[in-house]
Amino acid sequence: MAAVDPDFAANASIDAIRTQYEKAQALADLWSDRARELFLLMTSRAPKETW
């Protein structure tokens, strides 16, 4: 798990924090979509008893 840089946390403007939050949220959404697609692919190919 990544932590917020202490220097950034101490000195960043609200706009900089918002920008970093939005980037992190976009990446989280992307990985969530990928995980869902991979799960669906896995379940479509594997017999049910293997997952």
Side-chain angles (χ1 to χ4, degrees):
M1 174 184 267
V4 175
D5 176 40
D7 246 6
F8 178 79
N11 300 308
S13 68
I14 189 70
D15 289 334
I17 295 168
R18 182 177 293 114
T19 298
Q20 290 300 308
Y21 165 76
E22 290 169 351
K23 287 180 180 180
Q25 187 62 53
L27 280 174
D29 292 344
L30 175 67
W31 281 105
S32 176
D33 290 345
R34 286 182 182 173
R36 184 176 20 263
E37 289 176 21
L38 288 168
F39 177 77
L40 292 172
L41 179 61
M42 177 186 67
T43 58
S44 72
R45 291 192 180 177
K48 190 170 186 174
E49 56 274 356
T50 62
W51 51 272

